Amino acid sequence: GMSAGEHKEASLTLPEDFDVESLRGQTLQVVIDLQRVNSRALPEPDDALAQTVGNYSTLDELREKLRNDLLDAATREARRQYQDNVIEAFAMLADVKMPLAFVQDRLDDALRDLKRQIAAEDGLPFEEWLRLENKTEEQVRQEMQPGVERRARAGLVLAEVARAERLSVSDAEINETLSSYALYLPEKDRDEERRRLLNDNALRRDVRTRLLTNRVLDRMVAIARGEAQAEPSADEVEAS
C-alpha cells in the first residue's frame, strides 16, 4: 500500500526456518524508502499472443505445446523419483559394508564441492559462511555424513548391479556421445572440437560413468517392475 517517495519503518521477525541459522526467530528493524512503483499489463491470451511467442497459429496450438512440455517434465520427475525409490530398495536389501576411511574420503569430496559452491554462488570464504551459519566445519561434516553415506551406498550397489548383470559401455558409444557435443558448433569448428573431445580422458571417464549409470538404472527399474528378462549365463555366452 506504499506510494513512491514514502518512508516507513517496521519490525520484521524472521521465521524459524530462515536460511541463516543465526538469524532464525530474530526481530529486525527495517527501514523502507520506496523509490518507485511499477506495474505490468499482461497481454490477452489469444491467437495474436500465440503468434508472437513461436511458430503457432492459434492459442490452442500454444496451449497444446505447453501441456505437452508440462507433461514431459512431470513424467521425467516421476521417473527420477521412481529410480530413487528403486535404488533405496536395492540398497536396503544389499549387505553393504563401507570402511570408515572410504566414508571419510567421500565426505572430504562433498565438503570440497560445498566450498566451491559457496564461493561461486555466495562469493564468501568458507570460514565466513561458517560464521554466518554459526557452525563449525566438524558440525557441517556431521550434518552431511548421512547423505554422503546414502549416496556412497547407492554407488556401490549400482556398481555391483553393473557387475552382476554384465552391463558395460563401449568405446563406440562414448565416441558417439562426445561427437554429438560438437554438432552445436559452426561446421568449420566441428572436426577440431570433435578431436579434442575424443582425446579428453577425463571427459571420457565422465561420459562412461553417466552412460553406465543410466544403463544400470534402466535395468534396476525393469527388475523392480518385473519386466527384466534374465541375462544369459557366462556359459551360455561362451557357447553362443
Side-chain angles (χ1 to χ4, degrees), residues 164-167 219 223 228-234 236-237:
E165 297 291 317
R166 294 189 295 282
L167 301 175
R219 180 66 177 171
I223 293 172
Q229 296 180 354
E231 291 289 322
S233 66
E236 291 172 331
V237 172

Side-chain angles (χ1 to χ4, degrees), residues 26-43:
Q26 297 293 317
T27 299
L28 307 180
Q29 293 303 119
V30 181
V31 177
I32 304 170
D33 288 293
L34 188 59
Q35 301 297 323
R36 64 180 182 271
V37 178
N38 296 326
S39 63
R40 182 172 57 179
L42 297 178

